[in-house]
PDB file of all heavy atoms in Angstrom:
ATOM      1  N   SER A1500      41.288  65.107  42.891  1.00 91.00           N
ATOM      2  CA  SER A1500      42.583  65.705  42.371  1.00 91.00           C
ATOM      3  C   SER A1500      43.620  64.700  42.239  1.00 91.00           C
ATOM      4  O   SER A1500      44.411  64.652  41.230  1.00 91.00           O
ATOM      5  CB  SER A1500      43.006  66.902  43.212  1.00 91.00           C
ATOM      6  OG  SER A1500      43.258  66.442  44.591  1.00 91.00           O
ATOM      7  N   ASP A1501      43.887  63.936  43.316  1.00 92.00           N
ATOM      8  CA  ASP A1501      45.167  63.214  43.420  1.00 92.00           C
ATOM      9  C   ASP A1501      45.312  62.014  42.391  1.00 92.00           C
ATOM     10  O   ASP A1501      46.419  61.731  41.922  1.00 92.00           O
ATOM     11  CB  ASP A1501      45.410  62.720  44.803  1.00 92.00           C
ATOM     12  CG  ASP A1501      46.031  63.819  45.688  1.00 92.00           C
ATOM     13  OD1 ASP A1501      45.848  65.014  45.278  1.00 92.00           O
ATOM     14  OD2 ASP A1501      46.598  63.594  46.730  1.00 92.00           O
ATOM     15  N   PRO A1502      44.214  61.262  42.096  1.00 92.00           N
ATOM     16  CA  PRO A1502      44.404  60.369  40.983  1.00 92.00           C
ATOM     17  C   PRO A1502      44.818  60.972  39.633  1.00 92.00           C
ATOM     18  O   PRO A1502      45.510  60.378  38.890  1.00 92.00           O
ATOM     19  CB  PRO A1502      42.937  59.701  40.884  1.00 92.00           C
ATOM     20  CG  PRO A1502      42.409  59.820  42.265  1.00 92.00           C
ATOM     21  CD  PRO A1502      42.881  61.184  42.703  1.00 92.00           C
ATOM     22  N   ILE A1503      44.294  62.140  39.417  1.00 94.00           N
ATOM     23  CA  ILE A1503      44.670  62.881  38.180  1.00 94.00           C
ATOM     24  C   ILE A1503      46.178  63.318  38.232  1.00 94.00           C
ATOM     25  O   ILE A1503      46.926  63.072  37.284  1.00 94.00           O
ATOM     26  CB  ILE A1503      43.810  64.106  37.962  1.00 94.00           C
ATOM     27  CG1 ILE A1503      42.351  63.697  37.776  1.00 94.00           C
ATOM     28  CG2 ILE A1503      44.272  64.964  36.803  1.00 94.00           C
ATOM     29  CD1 ILE A1503      41.365  64.908  37.736  1.00 94.00           C
ATOM     30  N   ILE A1504      46.581  63.804  39.433  1.00 96.00           N
ATOM     31  CA  ILE A1504      48.000  64.196  39.561  1.00 96.00           C
ATOM     32  C   ILE A1504      48.842  62.859  39.415  1.00 96.00           C
ATOM     33  O   ILE A1504      49.889  62.893  38.745  1.00 96.00           O
ATOM     34  CB  ILE A1504      48.210  64.750  40.952  1.00 96.00           C
ATOM     35  CG1 ILE A1504      47.482  66.132  40.987  1.00 96.00           C
ATOM     36  CG2 ILE A1504      49.696  64.983  41.233  1.00 96.00           C
ATOM     37  CD1 ILE A1504      47.525  66.769  42.376  1.00 96.00           C
ATOM     38  N   PHE A1505      48.374  61.747  39.998  1.00 96.00           N
ATOM     39  CA  PHE A1505      49.146  60.518  39.906  1.00 96.00           C
ATOM     40  C   PHE A1505      49.233  60.088  38.407  1.00 96.00           C
ATOM     41  O   PHE A1505      50.306  59.674  37.999  1.00 96.00           O
ATOM     42  CB  PHE A1505      48.392  59.486  40.634  1.00 96.00           C
ATOM     43  CG  PHE A1505      49.147  58.119  40.760  1.00 96.00           C
ATOM     44  CD1 PHE A1505      50.040  57.952  41.776  1.00 96.00           C
ATOM     45  CD2 PHE A1505      48.961  57.156  39.892  1.00 96.00           C
ATOM     46  CE1 PHE A1505      50.710  56.747  41.953  1.00 96.00           C
ATOM     47  CE2 PHE A1505      49.672  55.926  39.967  1.00 96.00           C
ATOM     48  CZ  PHE A1505      50.498  55.767  41.016  1.00 96.00           C
ATOM     49  N   GLY A1506      48.162  60.267  37.625  1.00 96.00           N
ATOM     50  CA  GLY A1506      48.264  60.018  36.204  1.00 96.00           C
ATOM     51  C   GLY A1506      49.316  60.819  35.505  1.00 96.00           C
ATOM     52  O   GLY A1506      50.000  60.341  34.572  1.00 96.00           O
ATOM     53  N   HIS A1507      49.402  62.084  35.838  1.00 97.00           N
ATOM     54  CA  HIS A1507      50.436  62.942  35.256  1.00 97.00           C
ATOM     55  C   HIS A1507      51.840  62.428  35.605  1.00 97.00           C
ATOM     56  O   HIS A1507      52.804  62.541  34.814  1.00 97.00           O
ATOM     57  CB  HIS A1507      50.313  64.341  35.719  1.00 97.00           C
ATOM     58  CG  HIS A1507      49.149  65.114  34.964  1.00 97.00           C
ATOM     59  ND1 HIS A1507      49.238  65.461  33.621  1.00 97.00           N
ATOM     60  CD2 HIS A1507      47.963  65.571  35.400  1.00 97.00           C
ATOM     61  CE1 HIS A1507      48.148  66.024  33.301  1.00 97.00           C
ATOM     62  NE2 HIS A1507      47.358  66.092  34.336  1.00 97.00           N
ATOM     63  N   VAL A1508      52.011  61.908  36.824  1.00 98.00           N
ATOM     64  CA  VAL A1508      53.356  61.355  37.218  1.00 98.00           C
ATOM     65  C   VAL A1508      53.667  60.141  36.359  1.00 98.00           C
ATOM     66  O   VAL A1508      54.799  59.978  35.831  1.00 98.00           O
ATOM     67  CB  VAL A1508      53.335  60.996  38.651  1.00 98.00           C
ATOM     68  CG1 VAL A1508      54.730  60.426  39.054  1.00 98.00           C
ATOM     69  CG2 VAL A1508      53.011  62.167  39.578  1.00 98.00           C
ATOM     70  N   VAL A1509      52.734  59.225  36.155  1.00 97.00           N
ATOM     71  CA  VAL A1509      52.913  58.071  35.315  1.00 97.00           C
ATOM     72  C   VAL A1509      53.283  58.532  33.870  1.00 97.00           C
ATOM     73  O   VAL A1509      54.220  57.955  33.253  1.00 97.00           O
ATOM     74  CB  VAL A1509      51.672  57.181  35.261  1.00 97.00           C
ATOM     75  CG1 VAL A1509      51.892  56.024  34.308  1.00 97.00           C
ATOM     76  CG2 VAL A1509      51.422  56.637  36.690  1.00 97.00           C
ATOM     77  N   ARG A1510      52.599  59.496  33.333  1.00 97.00           N
ATOM     78  CA  ARG A1510      52.811  59.988  31.979  1.00 97.00           C
ATOM     79  C   ARG A1510      54.295  60.622  31.955  1.00 97.00           C
ATOM     80  O   ARG A1510      55.014  60.441  30.932  1.00 97.00           O
ATOM     81  CB  ARG A1510      51.824  61.018  31.593  1.00 97.00           C
ATOM     82  CG  ARG A1510      50.510  60.510  31.167  1.00 97.00           C
ATOM     83  CD  ARG A1510      49.526  61.657  30.813  1.00 97.00           C
ATOM     84  NE  ARG A1510      48.332  61.178  30.289  1.00 97.00           N
ATOM     85  CZ  ARG A1510      48.066  60.878  29.006  1.00 97.00           C
ATOM     86  NH1 ARG A1510      49.092  61.030  28.164  1.00 97.00           N
ATOM     87  NH2 ARG A1510      46.905  60.414  28.617  1.00 97.00           N
ATOM     88  N   ALA A1511      54.641  61.365  32.948  1.00 97.00           N
ATOM     89  CA  ALA A1511      55.927  62.071  32.970  1.00 97.00           C
ATOM     90  C   ALA A1511      57.079  60.969  33.021  1.00 97.00           C
ATOM     91  O   ALA A1511      58.111  61.254  32.437  1.00 97.00           O
ATOM     92  CB  ALA A1511      56.019  63.065  34.171  1.00 97.00           C
ATOM     93  N   PHE A1512      56.849  59.881  33.691  1.00 97.00           N
ATOM     94  CA  PHE A1512      57.901  58.871  33.770  1.00 97.00           C
ATOM     95  C   PHE A1512      58.053  58.065  32.553  1.00 97.00           C
ATOM     96  O   PHE A1512      59.082  57.498  32.226  1.00 97.00           O
ATOM     97  CB  PHE A1512      57.605  57.915  35.009  1.00 97.00           C
ATOM     98  CG  PHE A1512      58.872  57.388  35.615  1.00 97.00           C
ATOM     99  CD1 PHE A1512      59.567  58.083  36.560  1.00 97.00           C
ATOM    100  CD2 PHE A1512      59.395  56.223  35.149  1.00 97.00           C
ATOM    101  CE1 PHE A1512      60.725  57.562  37.199  1.00 97.00           C
ATOM    102  CE2 PHE A1512      60.571  55.668  35.758  1.00 97.00           C
ATOM    103  CZ  PHE A1512      61.213  56.336  36.733  1.00 97.00           C
ATOM    104  N   LEU A1513      56.975  58.023  31.754  1.00 97.00           N
ATOM    105  CA  LEU A1513      56.923  57.233  30.509  1.00 97.00           C
ATOM    106  C   LEU A1513      56.556  58.084  29.310  1.00 97.00           C
ATOM    107  O   LEU A1513      55.625  57.817  28.529  1.00 97.00           O
ATOM    108  CB  LEU A1513      55.974  56.056  30.633  1.00 97.00           C
ATOM    109  CG  LEU A1513      56.170  55.139  31.877  1.00 97.00           C
ATOM    110  CD1 LEU A1513      55.050  54.203  32.014  1.00 97.00           C
ATOM    111  CD2 LEU A1513      57.488  54.328  31.712  1.00 97.00           C
ATOM    112  N   PRO A1514      57.285  59.190  29.013  1.00 97.00           N
ATOM    113  CA  PRO A1514      56.808  60.111  27.968  1.00 97.00           C
ATOM    114  C   PRO A1514      56.838  59.523  26.543  1.00 97.00           C
ATOM    115  O   PRO A1514      55.904  59.712  25.739  1.00 97.00           O
ATOM    116  CB  PRO A1514      57.869  61.310  28.047  1.00 97.00           C
ATOM    117  CG  PRO A1514      59.095  60.672  28.727  1.00 97.00           C
ATOM    118  CD  PRO A1514      58.551  59.628  29.671  1.00 97.00           C
ATOM    119  N   LYS A1515      57.805  58.696  26.268  1.00 97.00           N
ATOM    120  CA  LYS A1515      57.892  58.089  24.921  1.00 97.00           C
ATOM    121  C   LYS A1515      56.748  57.091  24.727  1.00 97.00           C
ATOM    122  O   LYS A1515      56.185  57.028  23.586  1.00 97.00           O
ATOM    123  CB  LYS A1515      59.238  57.422  24.708  1.00 97.00           C
ATOM    124  CG  LYS A1515      60.418  58.344  24.729  1.00 97.00           C
ATOM    125  CD  LYS A1515      61.757  57.572  24.690  1.00 97.00           C
ATOM    126  CE  LYS A1515      62.970  58.442  24.822  1.00 97.00           C
ATOM    127  NZ  LYS A1515      64.183  57.689  24.847  1.00 97.00           N
ATOM    128  N   THR A1516      56.469  56.278  25.733  1.00 97.00           N
ATOM    129  CA  THR A1516      55.413  55.346  25.660  1.00 97.00           C
ATOM    130  C   THR A1516      54.018  55.993  25.369  1.00 97.00           C
ATOM    131  O   THR A1516      53.283  55.550  24.481  1.00 97.00           O
ATOM    132  CB  THR A1516      55.319  54.501  26.954  1.00 97.00           C
ATOM    133  OG1 THR A1516      56.596  53.773  27.112  1.00 97.00           O
ATOM    134  CG2 THR A1516      54.204  53.495  26.842  1.00 97.00           C
ATOM    135  N   PHE A1517      53.744  57.057  26.114  1.00 97.00           N
ATOM    136  CA  PHE A1517      52.500  57.752  25.906  1.00 97.00           C
ATOM    137  C   PHE A1517      52.436  58.566  24.652  1.00 97.00           C
ATOM    138  O   PHE A1517      51.322  58.719  24.066  1.00 97.00           O
ATOM    139  CB  PHE A1517      52.144  58.588  27.154  1.00 97.00           C
ATOM    140  CG  PHE A1517      51.574  57.774  28.259  1.00 97.00           C
ATOM    141  CD1 PHE A1517      52.401  57.314  29.283  1.00 97.00           C
ATOM    142  CD2 PHE A1517      50.215  57.443  28.295  1.00 97.00           C
ATOM    143  CE1 PHE A1517      51.830  56.567  30.299  1.00 97.00           C
ATOM    144  CE2 PHE A1517      49.669  56.700  29.354  1.00 97.00           C
ATOM    145  CZ  PHE A1517      50.522  56.241  30.294  1.00 97.00           C
ATOM    146  N   ALA A1518      53.578  59.019  24.221  1.00 97.00           N
ATOM    147  CA  ALA A1518      53.572  59.798  22.916  1.00 97.00           C
ATOM    148  C   ALA A1518      53.243  58.848  21.782  1.00 97.00           C
ATOM    149  O   ALA A1518      52.528  59.231  20.756  1.00 97.00           O
ATOM    150  CB  ALA A1518      54.918  60.404  22.716  1.00 97.00           C
ATOM    151  N   ARG A1519      53.704  57.623  21.902  1.00 97.00           N
ATOM    152  CA  ARG A1519      53.524  56.651  20.736  1.00 97.00           C
ATOM    153  C   ARG A1519      52.190  55.836  20.893  1.00 97.00           C
ATOM    154  O   ARG A1519      51.517  55.579  19.955  1.00 97.00           O
ATOM    155  CB  ARG A1519      54.727  55.711  20.665  1.00 97.00           C
ATOM    156  CG  ARG A1519      54.601  54.726  19.473  1.00 97.00           C
ATOM    157  CD  ARG A1519      55.916  53.989  19.302  1.00 97.00           C
ATOM    158  NE  ARG A1519      55.813  53.103  18.130  1.00 97.00           N
ATOM    159  CZ  ARG A1519      56.846  52.293  17.751  1.00 97.00           C
ATOM    160  NH1 ARG A1519      57.949  52.283  18.364  1.00 97.00           N
ATOM    161  NH2 ARG A1519      56.670  51.553  16.697  1.00 97.00           N
ATOM    162  N   TYR A1520      51.919  55.448  22.208  1.00 96.00           N
ATOM    163  CA  TYR A1520      50.767  54.496  22.381  1.00 96.00           C
ATOM    164  C   TYR A1520      49.668  55.127  23.219  1.00 96.00           C
ATOM    165  O   TYR A1520      48.736  54.416  23.582  1.00 96.00           O
ATOM    166  CB  TYR A1520      51.246  53.279  23.036  1.00 96.00           C
ATOM    167  CG  TYR A1520      52.315  52.520  22.265  1.00 96.00           C
ATOM    168  CD1 TYR A1520      53.699  52.527  22.648  1.00 96.00           C
ATOM    169  CD2 TYR A1520      52.033  51.802  21.150  1.00 96.00           C
ATOM    170  CE1 TYR A1520      54.676  51.790  21.967  1.00 96.00           C
ATOM    171  CE2 TYR A1520      52.962  51.083  20.395  1.00 96.00           C
ATOM    172  CZ  TYR A1520      54.351  51.125  20.855  1.00 96.00           C
ATOM    173  OH  TYR A1520      55.262  50.410  20.160  1.00 96.00           O
ATOM    174  N   GLY A1521      49.761  56.394  23.527  1.00 95.00           N
ATOM    175  CA  GLY A1521      48.676  56.952  24.361  1.00 95.00           C
ATOM    176  C   GLY A1521      47.293  56.792  23.891  1.00 95.00           C
ATOM    177  O   GLY A1521      46.380  56.466  24.685  1.00 95.00           O
ATOM    178  N   GLU A1522      47.116  57.034  22.548  1.00 95.00           N
ATOM    179  CA  GLU A1522      45.648  56.872  22.048  1.00 95.00           C
ATOM    180  C   GLU A1522      45.247  55.443  22.084  1.00 95.00           C
ATOM    181  O   GLU A1522      44.089  55.158  22.355  1.00 95.00           O
ATOM    182  CB  GLU A1522      45.707  57.390  20.594  1.00 95.00           C
ATOM    183  CG  GLU A1522      45.886  58.938  20.489  1.00 95.00           C
ATOM    184  CD  GLU A1522      45.797  59.423  19.049  1.00 95.00           C
ATOM    185  OE1 GLU A1522      45.495  58.580  18.173  1.00 95.00           O
ATOM    186  OE2 GLU A1522      46.010  60.638  18.830  1.00 95.00           O
ATOM    187  N   THR A1523      46.147  54.524  21.846  1.00 96.00           N
ATOM    188  CA  THR A1523      45.807  53.089  21.934  1.00 96.00           C
ATOM    189  C   THR A1523      45.364  52.712  23.410  1.00 96.00           C
ATOM    190  O   THR A1523      44.352  51.999  23.506  1.00 96.00           O
ATOM    191  CB  THR A1523      47.003  52.259  21.497  1.00 96.00           C
ATOM    192  OG1 THR A1523      47.342  52.582  20.171  1.00 96.00           O
ATOM    193  CG2 THR A1523      46.671  50.733  21.569  1.00 96.00           C
ATOM    194  N   LEU A1524      46.127  53.177  24.350  1.00 96.00           N
ATOM    195  CA  LEU A1524      45.803  52.849  25.741  1.00 96.00           C
ATOM    196  C   LEU A1524      44.494  53.511  26.119  1.00 96.00           C
ATOM    197  O   LEU A1524      43.657  52.887  26.768  1.00 96.00           O
ATOM    198  CB  LEU A1524      46.924  53.402  26.655  1.00 96.00           C
ATOM    199  CG  LEU A1524      48.286  52.675  26.476  1.00 96.00           C
ATOM    200  CD1 LEU A1524      49.328  53.431  27.333  1.00 96.00           C
ATOM    201  CD2 LEU A1524      48.210  51.223  26.869  1.00 96.00           C
ATOM    202  N   ALA A1525      44.232  54.815  25.729  1.00 94.00           N
ATOM    203  CA  ALA A1525      43.038  55.448  25.997  1.00 94.00           C
ATOM    204  C   ALA A1525      41.801  54.702  25.432  1.00 94.00           C
ATOM    205  O   ALA A1525      40.768  54.518  26.062  1.00 94.00           O
ATOM    206  CB  ALA A1525      43.051  56.885  25.564  1.00 94.00           C
ATOM    207  N   ALA A1526      41.968  54.245  24.150  1.00 93.00           N
ATOM    208  CA  ALA A1526      40.851  53.561  23.475  1.00 93.00           C
ATOM    209  C   ALA A1526      40.488  52.267  24.182  1.00 93.00           C
ATOM    210  O   ALA A1526      39.412  51.757  24.149  1.00 93.00           O
ATOM    211  CB  ALA A1526      41.234  53.341  22.004  1.00 93.00           C
ATOM    212  N   ALA A1527      41.552  51.665  24.857  1.00 92.00           N
ATOM    213  CA  ALA A1527      41.303  50.440  25.616  1.00 92.00           C
ATOM    214  C   ALA A1527      40.827  50.672  26.963  1.00 92.00           C
ATOM    215  O   ALA A1527      40.658  49.705  27.733  1.00 92.00           O
ATOM    216  CB  ALA A1527      42.586  49.607  25.517  1.00 92.00           C
ATOM    217  N   GLY A1528      40.689  51.908  27.384  1.00 90.00           N
ATOM    218  CA  GLY A1528      40.248  52.244  28.749  1.00 90.00           C
ATOM    219  C   GLY A1528      41.315  52.044  29.808  1.00 90.00           C
ATOM    220  O   GLY A1528      41.072  51.868  30.945  1.00 90.00           O
ATOM    221  N   LEU A1529      42.615  52.145  29.328  1.00 93.00           N
ATOM    222  CA  LEU A1529      43.738  51.958  30.301  1.00 93.00           C
ATOM    223  C   LEU A1529      44.264  53.390  30.575  1.00 93.00           C
ATOM    224  O   LEU A1529      45.075  53.931  29.809  1.00 93.00           O
ATOM    225  CB  LEU A1529      44.826  51.086  29.639  1.00 93.00           C
ATOM    226  CG  LEU A1529      44.365  49.630  29.292  1.00 93.00           C
ATOM    227  CD1 LEU A1529      45.480  48.892  28.557  1.00 93.00           C
ATOM    228  CD2 LEU A1529      43.913  48.915  30.542  1.00 93.00           C
ATOM    229  N   SER A1530      43.875  53.860  31.711  1.00 94.00           N
ATOM    230  CA  SER A1530      44.289  55.264  32.071  1.00 94.00           C
ATOM    231  C   SER A1530      45.428  55.229  33.028  1.00 94.00           C
ATOM    232  O   SER A1530      45.456  54.473  34.021  1.00 94.00           O
ATOM    233  CB  SER A1530      43.053  55.915  32.769  1.00 94.00           C
ATOM    234  OG  SER A1530      43.409  57.168  33.326  1.00 94.00           O
ATOM    235  N   PRO A1531      46.371  56.185  32.863  1.00 95.00           N
ATOM    236  CA  PRO A1531      47.507  56.374  33.814  1.00 95.00           C
ATOM    237  C   PRO A1531      46.938  56.736  35.191  1.00 95.00           C
ATOM    238  O   PRO A1531      47.643  56.497  36.208  1.00 95.00           O
ATOM    239  CB  PRO A1531      48.382  57.423  33.170  1.00 95.00           C
ATOM    240  CG  PRO A1531      47.458  58.202  32.333  1.00 95.00           C
ATOM    241  CD  PRO A1531      46.494  57.244  31.763  1.00 95.00           C
ATOM    242  N   ASN A1532      45.730  57.342  35.293  1.00 94.00           N
ATOM    243  CA  ASN A1532      45.186  57.769  36.599  1.00 94.00           C
ATOM    244  C   ASN A1532      44.980  56.515  37.412  1.00 94.00           C
ATOM    245  O   ASN A1532      44.959  56.634  38.689  1.00 94.00           O
ATOM    246  CB  ASN A1532      43.865  58.409  36.378  1.00 94.00           C
ATOM    247  CG  ASN A1532      43.985  59.776  35.672  1.00 94.00           C
ATOM    248  OD1 ASN A1532      45.021  60.119  35.143  1.00 94.00           O
ATOM    249  ND2 ASN A1532      42.871  60.490  35.596  1.00 94.00           N
ATOM    250  N   ASP A1533      44.768  55.338  36.796  1.00 92.00           N
ATOM    251  CA  ASP A1533      44.519  54.059  37.594  1.00 92.00           C
ATOM    252  C   ASP A1533      45.890  53.406  37.914  1.00 92.00           C
ATOM    253  O   ASP A1533      45.872  52.396  38.655  1.00 92.00           O
ATOM    254  CB  ASP A1533      43.729  53.180  36.751  1.00 92.00           C
ATOM    255  CG  ASP A1533      42.250  53.651  36.563  1.00 92.00           C
ATOM    256  OD1 ASP A1533      41.832  54.574  37.271  1.00 92.00           O
ATOM    257  OD2 ASP A1533      41.609  53.188  35.646  1.00 92.00           O
ATOM    258  N   GLY A1534      46.963  53.910  37.470  1.00 94.00           N
ATOM    259  CA  GLY A1534      48.259  53.364  37.808  1.00 94.00           C
ATOM    260  C   GLY A1534      48.824  52.458  36.794  1.00 94.00           C
ATOM    261  O   GLY A1534      48.194  51.929  35.851  1.00 94.00           O
ATOM    262  N   LEU A1535      50.200  52.313  36.870  1.00 95.00           N
ATOM    263  CA  LEU A1535      50.928  51.519  35.914  1.00 95.00           C
ATOM    264  C   LEU A1535      50.504  50.025  35.981  1.00 95.00           C
ATOM    265  O   LEU A1535      50.520  49.323  34.935  1.00 95.00           O
ATOM    266  CB  LEU A1535      52.403  51.619  36.192  1.00 95.00           C
ATOM    267  CG  LEU A1535      53.377  50.847  35.321  1.00 95.00           C
ATOM    268  CD1 LEU A1535      53.243  51.224  33.823  1.00 95.00           C
ATOM    269  CD2 LEU A1535      54.861  51.104  35.752  1.00 95.00           C
ATOM    270  N   GLY A1536      50.131  49.579  37.122  1.00 94.00           N
ATOM    271  CA  GLY A1536      49.691  48.155  37.266  1.00 94.00           C
ATOM    272  C   GLY A1536      48.483  47.883  36.437  1.00 94.00           C
ATOM    273  O   GLY A1536      48.451  46.795  35.779  1.00 94.00           O
ATOM    274  N   THR A1537      47.533  48.683  36.358  1.00 93.00           N
ATOM    275  CA  THR A1537      46.319  48.556  35.591  1.00 93.00           C
ATOM    276  C   THR A1537      46.646  48.490  34.111  1.00 93.00           C
ATOM    277  O   THR A1537      46.137  47.629  33.278  1.00 93.00           O
ATOM    278  CB  THR A1537      45.344  49.619  35.788  1.00 93.00           C
ATOM    279  OG1 THR A1537      44.845  49.576  37.159  1.00 93.00           O
ATOM    280  CG2 THR A1537      44.036  49.456  34.942  1.00 93.00           C
ATOM    281  N   ILE A1538      47.552  49.404  33.659  1.00 96.00           N
ATOM    282  CA  ILE A1538      47.986  49.401  32.281  1.00 96.00           C
ATOM    283  C   ILE A1538      48.685  48.117  31.904  1.00 96.00           C
ATOM    284  O   ILE A1538      48.317  47.446  30.920  1.00 96.00           O
ATOM    285  CB  ILE A1538      48.930  50.593  32.032  1.00 96.00           C
ATOM    286  CG1 ILE A1538      48.142  51.924  32.151  1.00 96.00           C
ATOM    287  CG2 ILE A1538      49.580  50.496  30.674  1.00 96.00           C
ATOM    288  CD1 ILE A1538      49.021  53.102  32.006  1.00 96.00           C
ATOM    289  N   LEU A1539      49.607  47.690  32.735  1.00 96.00           N
ATOM    290  CA  LEU A1539      50.327  46.411  32.468  1.00 96.00           C
ATOM    291  C   LEU A1539      49.452  45.228  32.413  1.00 96.00           C
ATOM    292  O   LEU A1539      49.579  44.328  31.538  1.00 96.00           O
ATOM    293  CB  LEU A1539      51.461  46.212  33.430  1.00 96.00           C
ATOM    294  CG  LEU A1539      52.583  47.258  33.384  1.00 96.00           C
ATOM    295  CD1 LEU A1539      53.593  47.017  34.533  1.00 96.00           C
ATOM    296  CD2 LEU A1539      53.303  47.278  32.009  1.00 96.00           C
ATOM    297  N   ASN A1540      48.446  45.174  33.374  1.00 93.00           N
ATOM    298  CA  ASN A1540      47.521  44.077  33.422  1.00 93.00           C
ATOM    299  C   ASN A1540      46.631  43.973  32.132  1.00 93.00           C
ATOM    300  O   ASN A1540      46.101  42.945  31.800  1.00 93.00           O
ATOM    301  CB  ASN A1540      46.653  44.172  34.634  1.00 93.00           C
ATOM    302  CG  ASN A1540      47.482  43.882  35.877  1.00 93.00           C
ATOM    303  OD1 ASN A1540      48.548  43.220  35.854  1.00 93.00           O
ATOM    304  ND2 ASN A1540      47.060  44.327  37.059  1.00 93.00           N
TER     305      ASN A1540
END
């Protein structure tokens, strides 16, 4: 449960980013569940 909840927190903090680039990040395997650090890396 908690990694999924964590992913929702990352999304909630960055709503514009995920609205515009969410599909791009998902296609690259960059999930908010893994944390902002994984996405940035």
Side-chain angles (χ1 to χ4, degrees):
S1500 61
D1501 281 20
I1503 296 173
I1504 296 173
F1505 189 87
H1507 282 291
V1508 181
V1509 175
R1510 284 179 174 274
F1512 210 88
L1513 305 169
K1515 297 176 185 176
T1516 300
F1517 279 94
R1519 184 170 182 179
Y1520 300 107
E1522 292 183 3
T1523 301
L1524 294 172
L1529 300 175
S1530 169
N1532 296 9
D1533 295 342
L1535 181 57
T1537 296
I1538 292 174
L1539 294 175
N1540 290 337

